[in-house]
Amino acid sequence: MTISAIASGAFICRESGWTTTQLAVQKILYMAHMVHMGRDLGPLVDGLFEAWDYGPVHPLLYHRIKPFGSRPIPDVFNMRNDPPGPEAGTLKEACVQLLDKTPGDLVRNTHRKGGAWARHYIRGSRNVPIPNSSIIDEYRARVGA
């Protein structure tokens, strides 16, 4: 079962104590999506990530939180319930592993040479989808499967 990118973004922001930024939310959500699919649980979020200049971006979530730029994202989601089941577990695990990383660490992690973002990125372009199959391939390459 997939969950909305908005609900996922709200979860990550809430886990951070409302101190995280758009860049971090996008990178953490992308990595959680990769792990969720890599574990054969299917896509974590609905829709596709896109290959933008600063890495993988979920456009629906981007448009919801873009007014905050590089500032911490306040509670603009009006959501109080966590996602159900394994989706919440994947998001929680990603937050524990990644919320304390620097923006540079997160960017290096999602910009891996040969990774899904790098294979689909076209400088200066937006709206270039990153197929879930490419994200799964990257997961398998990372874990040596």
Side-chain angles (χ1 to χ4, degrees):
M1 174 173 123
T2 62
I3 54 177
S4 78
I6 302 297
S8 299
F11 182 96
I12 294 166
C13 289
R14 190 169 44 255
E15 286 292 308
S16 80
W18 305 103
T19 62
T20 196
T21 64
Q22 167 133 218
L23 184 141
V25 170
Q26 292 285 356
K27 304 308 174 253
I28 292 168
L29 183 56
Y30 177 77
M31 295 303 297
H33 184 71
M34 178 188 298
V35 167
H36 201 73
M37 288 191 303
R39 292 177 176 166
D40 293 327
L41 297 171
L44 176 65
V45 296
D46 51 4
L48 293 175
F49 284 84
E50 295 179 353
W52 290 19
D53 288 339
Y54 292 102
V57 170
H58 196 290
L60 185 63
L61 179 59
Y62 171 80
H63 291 296
R64 181 65 163 272
I65 60 179
K66 73 180 174 184
F68 304 100
S70 62
R71 297 183 315 274
I73 301 162
D75 186 0
V76 295
F77 301 99
N78 300 316
M79 295 182 177
R80 298 292 170 247
N81 297 328
D82 286 342
E87 292 79 17
T90 300
L91 285 169
K92 178 74 171 178
E93 181 182 347
C95 288
V96 167
Q97 295 293 321
L98 300 171
L99 272 172
D100 66 343
K101 302 298 181 196
T102 68
D105 289 339
L106 293 170
V107 168
R108 278 187 292 282
N109 198 1
T110 58
H111 286 65
R112 291 173 61 113
K113 184 177 181 180
W117 173 83
R119 290 186 3 227
H120 296 279
Y121 173 64
I122 301 168
R123 184 179 297 269
S125 293
R126 289 189 179 179
N127 302 24
V128 178
I130 303 172
N132 283 335
S133 59
S134 292
I135 298 171
I136 293 170
D137 290 345
E138 179 177 351
Y139 176 85
R140 289 181 180 143
R142 285 175 180 246
V143 299

PDB file of all heavy atoms in Angstrom, residues 63-96:
ATOM      1  N   HIS A  63       5.847  21.260  -3.832  1.00  0.00           N
ATOM      2  CA  HIS A  63       4.945  22.407  -3.981  1.00  0.00           C
ATOM      3  C   HIS A  63       4.223  22.750  -2.672  1.00  0.00           C
ATOM      4  O   HIS A  63       3.867  23.909  -2.458  1.00  0.00           O
ATOM      5  CB  HIS A  63       3.967  22.176  -5.130  1.00  0.00           C
ATOM      6  CG  HIS A  63       4.653  22.204  -6.452  1.00  0.00           C
ATOM      7  ND1 HIS A  63       5.273  23.326  -6.953  1.00  0.00           N
ATOM      8  CD2 HIS A  63       4.873  21.227  -7.369  1.00  0.00           C
ATOM      9  CE1 HIS A  63       5.830  23.057  -8.122  1.00  0.00           C
ATOM     10  NE2 HIS A  63       5.601  21.785  -8.398  1.00  0.00           N
ATOM     11  N   ARG A  64       4.062  21.772  -1.811  1.00  0.00           N
ATOM     12  CA  ARG A  64       3.422  22.029  -0.520  1.00  0.00           C
ATOM     13  C   ARG A  64       4.349  22.792   0.427  1.00  0.00           C
ATOM     14  O   ARG A  64       3.910  23.639   1.197  1.00  0.00           O
ATOM     15  CB  ARG A  64       2.996  20.710   0.111  1.00  0.00           C
ATOM     16  CG  ARG A  64       2.294  20.839   1.446  1.00  0.00           C
ATOM     17  CD  ARG A  64       0.952  21.559   1.256  1.00  0.00           C
ATOM     18  NE  ARG A  64       0.054  21.393   2.345  1.00  0.00           N
ATOM     19  CZ  ARG A  64      -0.804  20.402   2.490  1.00  0.00           C
ATOM     20  NH1 ARG A  64      -0.896  19.444   1.597  1.00  0.00           N
ATOM     21  NH2 ARG A  64      -1.594  20.361   3.524  1.00  0.00           N
ATOM     22  N   ILE A  65       5.671  22.508   0.355  1.00  0.00           N
ATOM     23  CA  ILE A  65       6.593  23.088   1.345  1.00  0.00           C
ATOM     24  C   ILE A  65       7.593  24.080   0.756  1.00  0.00           C
ATOM     25  O   ILE A  65       8.418  24.621   1.489  1.00  0.00           O
ATOM     26  CB  ILE A  65       7.314  21.978   2.138  1.00  0.00           C
ATOM     27  CG1 ILE A  65       8.119  21.059   1.239  1.00  0.00           C
ATOM     28  CG2 ILE A  65       6.303  21.198   2.972  1.00  0.00           C
ATOM     29  CD1 ILE A  65       8.872  19.949   1.971  1.00  0.00           C
ATOM     30  N   LYS A  66       7.494  24.372  -0.528  1.00  0.00           N
ATOM     31  CA  LYS A  66       8.462  25.272  -1.151  1.00  0.00           C
ATOM     32  C   LYS A  66       8.499  26.675  -0.562  1.00  0.00           C
ATOM     33  O   LYS A  66       9.561  27.300  -0.576  1.00  0.00           O
ATOM     34  CB  LYS A  66       8.274  25.334  -2.665  1.00  0.00           C
ATOM     35  CG  LYS A  66       7.065  26.106  -3.142  1.00  0.00           C
ATOM     36  CD  LYS A  66       6.988  26.100  -4.655  1.00  0.00           C
ATOM     37  CE  LYS A  66       5.711  26.752  -5.119  1.00  0.00           C
ATOM     38  NZ  LYS A  66       5.577  26.677  -6.570  1.00  0.00           N
ATOM     39  N   PRO A  67       7.411  27.210  -0.003  1.00  0.00           N
ATOM     40  CA  PRO A  67       7.512  28.567   0.548  1.00  0.00           C
ATOM     41  C   PRO A  67       8.555  28.720   1.655  1.00  0.00           C
ATOM     42  O   PRO A  67       8.986  29.825   1.944  1.00  0.00           O
ATOM     43  CB  PRO A  67       6.104  28.842   1.095  1.00  0.00           C
ATOM     44  CG  PRO A  67       5.207  27.935   0.332  1.00  0.00           C
ATOM     45  CD  PRO A  67       6.039  26.707   0.061  1.00  0.00           C
ATOM     46  N   PHE A  68       8.991  27.614   2.247  1.00  0.00           N
ATOM     47  CA  PHE A  68       9.920  27.699   3.365  1.00  0.00           C
ATOM     48  C   PHE A  68      11.381  27.675   2.939  1.00  0.00           C
ATOM     49  O   PHE A  68      12.263  27.884   3.768  1.00  0.00           O
ATOM     50  CB  PHE A  68       9.607  26.591   4.381  1.00  0.00           C
ATOM     51  CG  PHE A  68       8.185  26.681   4.832  1.00  0.00           C
ATOM     52  CD1 PHE A  68       7.224  25.849   4.300  1.00  0.00           C
ATOM     53  CD2 PHE A  68       7.788  27.663   5.726  1.00  0.00           C
ATOM     54  CE1 PHE A  68       5.894  25.957   4.666  1.00  0.00           C
ATOM     55  CE2 PHE A  68       6.458  27.797   6.094  1.00  0.00           C
ATOM     56  CZ  PHE A  68       5.517  26.943   5.560  1.00  0.00           C
ATOM     57  N   GLY A  69      11.637  27.440   1.650  1.00  0.00           N
ATOM     58  CA  GLY A  69      13.011  27.465   1.160  1.00  0.00           C
ATOM     59  C   GLY A  69      13.915  26.583   2.002  1.00  0.00           C
ATOM     60  O   GLY A  69      13.638  25.409   2.190  1.00  0.00           O
ATOM     61  N   SER A  70      14.970  27.169   2.541  1.00  0.00           N
ATOM     62  CA  SER A  70      15.918  26.408   3.353  1.00  0.00           C
ATOM     63  C   SER A  70      15.644  26.545   4.855  1.00  0.00           C
ATOM     64  O   SER A  70      16.438  26.107   5.669  1.00  0.00           O
ATOM     65  CB  SER A  70      17.343  26.850   3.042  1.00  0.00           C
ATOM     66  OG  SER A  70      17.505  28.217   3.368  1.00  0.00           O
ATOM     67  N   ARG A  71      14.519  27.150   5.192  1.00  0.00           N
ATOM     68  CA  ARG A  71      14.139  27.303   6.611  1.00  0.00           C
ATOM     69  C   ARG A  71      13.412  26.045   7.105  1.00  0.00           C
ATOM     70  O   ARG A  71      12.846  25.304   6.310  1.00  0.00           O
ATOM     71  CB  ARG A  71      13.230  28.515   6.784  1.00  0.00           C
ATOM     72  CG  ARG A  71      13.897  29.826   6.423  1.00  0.00           C
ATOM     73  CD  ARG A  71      12.990  31.033   6.677  1.00  0.00           C
ATOM     74  NE  ARG A  71      11.618  30.890   6.224  1.00  0.00           N
ATOM     75  CZ  ARG A  71      11.180  31.163   4.993  1.00  0.00           C
ATOM     76  NH1 ARG A  71      12.018  31.603   4.084  1.00  0.00           N
ATOM     77  NH2 ARG A  71       9.908  31.011   4.669  1.00  0.00           N
ATOM     78  N   PRO A  72      13.396  25.824   8.416  1.00  0.00           N
ATOM     79  CA  PRO A  72      12.632  24.686   8.953  1.00  0.00           C
ATOM     80  C   PRO A  72      11.158  24.785   8.554  1.00  0.00           C
ATOM     81  O   PRO A  72      10.587  25.870   8.485  1.00  0.00           O
ATOM     82  CB  PRO A  72      12.792  24.833  10.466  1.00  0.00           C
ATOM     83  CG  PRO A  72      14.073  25.581  10.627  1.00  0.00           C
ATOM     84  CD  PRO A  72      14.124  26.540   9.459  1.00  0.00           C
ATOM     85  N   ILE A  73      10.565  23.624   8.318  1.00  0.00           N
ATOM     86  CA  ILE A  73       9.174  23.558   7.869  1.00  0.00           C
ATOM     87  C   ILE A  73       8.268  23.450   9.099  1.00  0.00           C
ATOM     88  O   ILE A  73       8.380  22.490   9.865  1.00  0.00           O
ATOM     89  CB  ILE A  73       8.962  22.349   6.947  1.00  0.00           C
ATOM     90  CG1 ILE A  73       9.891  22.457   5.739  1.00  0.00           C
ATOM     91  CG2 ILE A  73       7.506  22.250   6.517  1.00  0.00           C
ATOM     92  CD1 ILE A  73      10.075  21.166   5.003  1.00  0.00           C
ATOM     93  N   PRO A  74       7.374  24.414   9.293  1.00  0.00           N
ATOM     94  CA  PRO A  74       6.428  24.318  10.403  1.00  0.00           C
ATOM     95  C   PRO A  74       5.291  23.357  10.036  1.00  0.00           C
ATOM     96  O   PRO A  74       5.230  22.842   8.922  1.00  0.00           O
ATOM     97  CB  PRO A  74       5.914  25.752  10.546  1.00  0.00           C
ATOM     98  CG  PRO A  74       6.007  26.313   9.169  1.00  0.00           C
ATOM     99  CD  PRO A  74       7.216  25.661   8.540  1.00  0.00           C
ATOM    100  N   ASP A  75       4.389  23.148  10.956  1.00  0.00           N
ATOM    101  CA  ASP A  75       3.273  22.240  10.706  1.00  0.00           C
ATOM    102  C   ASP A  75       2.248  22.896   9.782  1.00  0.00           C
ATOM    103  O   ASP A  75       1.341  23.573  10.227  1.00  0.00           O
ATOM    104  CB  ASP A  75       2.620  21.815  12.012  1.00  0.00           C
ATOM    105  CG  ASP A  75       1.554  20.755  11.802  1.00  0.00           C
ATOM    106  OD1 ASP A  75       1.322  20.351  10.634  1.00  0.00           O
ATOM    107  OD2 ASP A  75       0.953  20.324  12.787  1.00  0.00           O
ATOM    108  N   VAL A  76       2.433  22.665   8.486  1.00  0.00           N
ATOM    109  CA  VAL A  76       1.502  23.170   7.474  1.00  0.00           C
ATOM    110  C   VAL A  76       0.657  22.032   6.897  1.00  0.00           C
ATOM    111  O   VAL A  76      -0.030  22.213   5.908  1.00  0.00           O
ATOM    112  CB  VAL A  76       2.254  23.878   6.324  1.00  0.00           C
ATOM    113  CG1 VAL A  76       2.958  25.112   6.824  1.00  0.00           C
ATOM    114  CG2 VAL A  76       3.221  22.923   5.639  1.00  0.00           C
ATOM    115  N   PHE A  77       0.719  20.876   7.532  1.00  0.00           N
ATOM    116  CA  PHE A  77       0.109  19.681   6.960  1.00  0.00           C
ATOM    117  C   PHE A  77      -1.287  19.378   7.494  1.00  0.00           C
ATOM    118  O   PHE A  77      -2.065  18.711   6.827  1.00  0.00           O
ATOM    119  CB  PHE A  77       1.021  18.472   7.210  1.00  0.00           C
ATOM    120  CG  PHE A  77       2.383  18.631   6.619  1.00  0.00           C
ATOM    121  CD1 PHE A  77       3.450  19.026   7.403  1.00  0.00           C
ATOM    122  CD2 PHE A  77       2.611  18.398   5.275  1.00  0.00           C
ATOM    123  CE1 PHE A  77       4.717  19.171   6.868  1.00  0.00           C
ATOM    124  CE2 PHE A  77       3.865  18.542   4.720  1.00  0.00           C
ATOM    125  CZ  PHE A  77       4.923  18.931   5.528  1.00  0.00           C
ATOM    126  N   ASN A  78      -1.580  19.794   8.713  1.00  0.00           N
ATOM    127  CA  ASN A  78      -2.872  19.513   9.335  1.00  0.00           C
ATOM    128  C   ASN A  78      -3.182  18.020   9.362  1.00  0.00           C
ATOM    129  O   ASN A  78      -4.296  17.594   9.064  1.00  0.00           O
ATOM    130  CB  ASN A  78      -4.000  20.270   8.622  1.00  0.00           C
ATOM    131  CG  ASN A  78      -3.792  21.759   8.674  1.00  0.00           C
ATOM    132  OD1 ASN A  78      -3.437  22.294   9.723  1.00  0.00           O
ATOM    133  ND2 ASN A  78      -3.983  22.432   7.556  1.00  0.00           N
ATOM    134  N   MET A  79      -2.160  17.227   9.691  1.00  0.00           N
ATOM    135  CA  MET A  79      -2.322  15.773   9.780  1.00  0.00           C
ATOM    136  C   MET A  79      -1.819  15.330  11.148  1.00  0.00           C
ATOM    137  O   MET A  79      -0.734  15.700  11.558  1.00  0.00           O
ATOM    138  CB  MET A  79      -1.519  15.070   8.693  1.00  0.00           C
ATOM    139  CG  MET A  79      -1.985  15.365   7.312  1.00  0.00           C
ATOM    140  SD  MET A  79      -1.010  14.456   6.112  1.00  0.00           S
ATOM    141  CE  MET A  79      -1.857  14.935   4.631  1.00  0.00           C
ATOM    142  N   ARG A  80      -2.597  14.532  11.807  1.00  0.00           N
ATOM    143  CA  ARG A  80      -2.221  14.064  13.142  1.00  0.00           C
ATOM    144  C   ARG A  80      -1.980  12.569  13.206  1.00  0.00           C
ATOM    145  O   ARG A  80      -1.412  12.074  14.149  1.00  0.00           O
ATOM    146  CB  ARG A  80      -3.301  14.449  14.159  1.00  0.00           C
ATOM    147  CG  ARG A  80      -3.495  15.940  14.277  1.00  0.00           C
ATOM    148  CD  ARG A  80      -2.273  16.593  14.910  1.00  0.00           C
ATOM    149  NE  ARG A  80      -2.356  18.035  14.822  1.00  0.00           N
ATOM    150  CZ  ARG A  80      -1.557  18.794  14.088  1.00  0.00           C
ATOM    151  NH1 ARG A  80      -0.605  18.255  13.379  1.00  0.00           N
ATOM    152  NH2 ARG A  80      -1.696  20.088  14.059  1.00  0.00           N
ATOM    153  N   ASN A  81      -2.443  11.838  12.228  1.00  0.00           N
ATOM    154  CA  ASN A  81      -2.302  10.385  12.257  1.00  0.00           C
ATOM    155  C   ASN A  81      -1.076   9.945  11.482  1.00  0.00           C
ATOM    156  O   ASN A  81      -0.825  10.432  10.381  1.00  0.00           O
ATOM    157  CB  ASN A  81      -3.540   9.714  11.662  1.00  0.00           C
ATOM    158  CG  ASN A  81      -4.780  10.011  12.463  1.00  0.00           C
ATOM    159  OD1 ASN A  81      -4.708  10.175  13.672  1.00  0.00           O
ATOM    160  ND2 ASN A  81      -5.915  10.094  11.789  1.00  0.00           N
ATOM    161  N   ASP A  82      -0.339   9.015  12.072  1.00  0.00           N
ATOM    162  CA  ASP A  82       0.803   8.450  11.370  1.00  0.00           C
ATOM    163  C   ASP A  82       0.319   7.483  10.304  1.00  0.00           C
ATOM    164  O   ASP A  82      -0.766   6.909  10.427  1.00  0.00           O
ATOM    165  CB  ASP A  82       1.706   7.701  12.346  1.00  0.00           C
ATOM    166  CG  ASP A  82       2.497   8.652  13.234  1.00  0.00           C
ATOM    167  OD1 ASP A  82       2.615   9.841  12.876  1.00  0.00           O
ATOM    168  OD2 ASP A  82       3.000   8.191  14.273  1.00  0.00           O
ATOM    169  N   PRO A  83       1.144   7.277   9.275  1.00  0.00           N
ATOM    170  CA  PRO A  83       0.797   6.260   8.275  1.00  0.00           C
ATOM    171  C   PRO A  83       0.678   4.893   8.948  1.00  0.00           C
ATOM    172  O   PRO A  83       1.301   4.645   9.975  1.00  0.00           O
ATOM    173  CB  PRO A  83       1.986   6.294   7.307  1.00  0.00           C
ATOM    174  CG  PRO A  83       2.659   7.596   7.556  1.00  0.00           C
ATOM    175  CD  PRO A  83       2.395   7.949   8.984  1.00  0.00           C
ATOM    176  N   PRO A  84      -0.084   3.998   8.359  1.00  0.00           N
ATOM    177  CA  PRO A  84      -0.288   2.677   8.962  1.00  0.00           C
ATOM    178  C   PRO A  84       0.863   1.712   8.675  1.00  0.00           C
ATOM    179  O   PRO A  84       1.627   1.903   7.738  1.00  0.00           O
ATOM    180  CB  PRO A  84      -1.567   2.194   8.276  1.00  0.00           C
ATOM    181  CG  PRO A  84      -1.509   2.843   6.928  1.00  0.00           C
ATOM    182  CD  PRO A  84      -0.882   4.197   7.168  1.00  0.00           C
ATOM    183  N   GLY A  85       0.932   0.668   9.475  1.00  0.00           N
ATOM    184  CA  GLY A  85       1.740  -0.517   9.208  1.00  0.00           C
ATOM    185  C   GLY A  85       3.193  -0.317   8.867  1.00  0.00           C
ATOM    186  O   GLY A  85       3.877   0.510   9.460  1.00  0.00           O
ATOM    187  N   PRO A  86       3.657  -1.106   7.898  1.00  0.00           N
ATOM    188  CA  PRO A  86       5.083  -1.103   7.568  1.00  0.00           C
ATOM    189  C   PRO A  86       5.565   0.246   7.007  1.00  0.00           C
ATOM    190  O   PRO A  86       6.744   0.560   7.109  1.00  0.00           O
ATOM    191  CB  PRO A  86       5.234  -2.225   6.537  1.00  0.00           C
ATOM    192  CG  PRO A  86       3.872  -2.480   6.017  1.00  0.00           C
ATOM    193  CD  PRO A  86       2.904  -2.072   7.100  1.00  0.00           C
ATOM    194  N   GLU A  87       4.664   1.033   6.459  1.00  0.00           N
ATOM    195  CA  GLU A  87       5.059   2.350   5.933  1.00  0.00           C
ATOM    196  C   GLU A  87       5.575   3.237   7.059  1.00  0.00           C
ATOM    197  O   GLU A  87       6.616   3.892   6.914  1.00  0.00           O
ATOM    198  CB  GLU A  87       3.887   3.014   5.210  1.00  0.00           C
ATOM    199  CG  GLU A  87       3.471   2.322   3.924  1.00  0.00           C
ATOM    200  CD  GLU A  87       2.625   1.072   4.130  1.00  0.00           C
ATOM    201  OE1 GLU A  87       2.077   0.871   5.224  1.00  0.00           O
ATOM    202  OE2 GLU A  87       2.523   0.281   3.168  1.00  0.00           O
ATOM    203  N   ALA A  88       4.877   3.247   8.181  1.00  0.00           N
ATOM    204  CA  ALA A  88       5.326   4.045   9.328  1.00  0.00           C
ATOM    205  C   ALA A  88       6.667   3.539   9.832  1.00  0.00           C
ATOM    206  O   ALA A  88       7.543   4.332  10.193  1.00  0.00           O
ATOM    207  CB  ALA A  88       4.288   4.007  10.443  1.00  0.00           C
ATOM    208  N   GLY A  89       6.854   2.225   9.845  1.00  0.00           N
ATOM    209  CA  GLY A  89       8.124   1.653  10.288  1.00  0.00           C
ATOM    210  C   GLY A  89       9.277   2.062   9.401  1.00  0.00           C
ATOM    211  O   GLY A  89      10.368   2.412   9.889  1.00  0.00           O
ATOM    212  N   THR A  90       9.061   2.048   8.096  1.00  0.00           N
ATOM    213  CA  THR A  90      10.114   2.458   7.159  1.00  0.00           C
ATOM    214  C   THR A  90      10.457   3.929   7.342  1.00  0.00           C
ATOM    215  O   THR A  90      11.635   4.305   7.364  1.00  0.00           O
ATOM    216  CB  THR A  90       9.680   2.187   5.705  1.00  0.00           C
ATOM    217  OG1 THR A  90       9.436   0.788   5.542  1.00  0.00           O
ATOM    218  CG2 THR A  90      10.742   2.628   4.716  1.00  0.00           C
ATOM    219  N   LEU A  91       9.438   4.767   7.482  1.00  0.00           N
ATOM    220  CA  LEU A  91       9.681   6.203   7.679  1.00  0.00           C
ATOM    221  C   LEU A  91      10.406   6.458   9.000  1.00  0.00           C
ATOM    222  O   LEU A  91      11.345   7.272   9.048  1.00  0.00           O
ATOM    223  CB  LEU A  91       8.370   6.974   7.643  1.00  0.00           C
ATOM    224  CG  LEU A  91       7.761   7.170   6.263  1.00  0.00           C
ATOM    225  CD1 LEU A  91       6.345   7.702   6.383  1.00  0.00           C
ATOM    226  CD2 LEU A  91       8.621   8.104   5.418  1.00  0.00           C
ATOM    227  N   LYS A  92       9.995   5.781  10.048  1.00  0.00           N
ATOM    228  CA  LYS A  92      10.634   5.956  11.365  1.00  0.00           C
ATOM    229  C   LYS A  92      12.100   5.549  11.292  1.00  0.00           C
ATOM    230  O   LYS A  92      12.990   6.259  11.792  1.00  0.00           O
ATOM    231  CB  LYS A  92       9.889   5.129  12.415  1.00  0.00           C
ATOM    232  CG  LYS A  92      10.478   5.196  13.782  1.00  0.00           C
ATOM    233  CD  LYS A  92      10.196   6.520  14.428  1.00  0.00           C
ATOM    234  CE  LYS A  92      10.616   6.488  15.897  1.00  0.00           C
ATOM    235  NZ  LYS A  92      10.405   7.775  16.526  1.00  0.00           N
ATOM    236  N   GLU A  93      12.372   4.428  10.671  1.00  0.00           N
ATOM    237  CA  GLU A  93      13.752   3.953  10.523  1.00  0.00           C
ATOM    238  C   GLU A  93      14.597   4.971   9.742  1.00  0.00           C
ATOM    239  O   GLU A  93      15.730   5.270  10.120  1.00  0.00           O
ATOM    240  CB  GLU A  93      13.755   2.601   9.809  1.00  0.00           C
ATOM    241  CG  GLU A  93      15.122   2.007   9.620  1.00  0.00           C
ATOM    242  CD  GLU A  93      15.088   0.685   8.863  1.00  0.00           C
ATOM    243  OE1 GLU A  93      14.000   0.095   8.685  1.00  0.00           O
ATOM    244  OE2 GLU A  93      16.168   0.247   8.440  1.00  0.00           O
ATOM    245  N   ALA A  94      14.033   5.509   8.670  1.00  0.00           N
ATOM    246  CA  ALA A  94      14.762   6.503   7.877  1.00  0.00           C
ATOM    247  C   ALA A  94      15.047   7.749   8.709  1.00  0.00           C
ATOM    248  O   ALA A  94      16.146   8.317   8.632  1.00  0.00           O
ATOM    249  CB  ALA A  94      13.973   6.862   6.618  1.00  0.00           C
ATOM    250  N   CYS A  95      14.084   8.167   9.503  1.00  0.00           N
ATOM    251  CA  CYS A  95      14.289   9.346  10.351  1.00  0.00           C
ATOM    252  C   CYS A  95      15.391   9.105  11.375  1.00  0.00           C
ATOM    253  O   CYS A  95      16.259   9.959  11.583  1.00  0.00           O
ATOM    254  CB  CYS A  95      12.987   9.735  11.051  1.00  0.00           C
ATOM    255  SG  CYS A  95      11.769  10.462   9.935  1.00  0.00           S
ATOM    256  N   VAL A  96      15.372   7.948  12.007  1.00  0.00           N
ATOM    257  CA  VAL A  96      16.400   7.621  13.003  1.00  0.00           C
ATOM    258  C   VAL A  96      17.784   7.631  12.353  1.00  0.00           C
ATOM    259  O   VAL A  96      18.748   8.153  12.916  1.00  0.00           O
ATOM    260  CB  VAL A  96      16.094   6.256  13.667  1.00  0.00           C
ATOM    261  CG1 VAL A  96      17.288   5.741  14.456  1.00  0.00           C
ATOM    262  CG2 VAL A  96      14.859   6.359  14.544  1.00  0.00           C
TER     263      VAL A  96
END
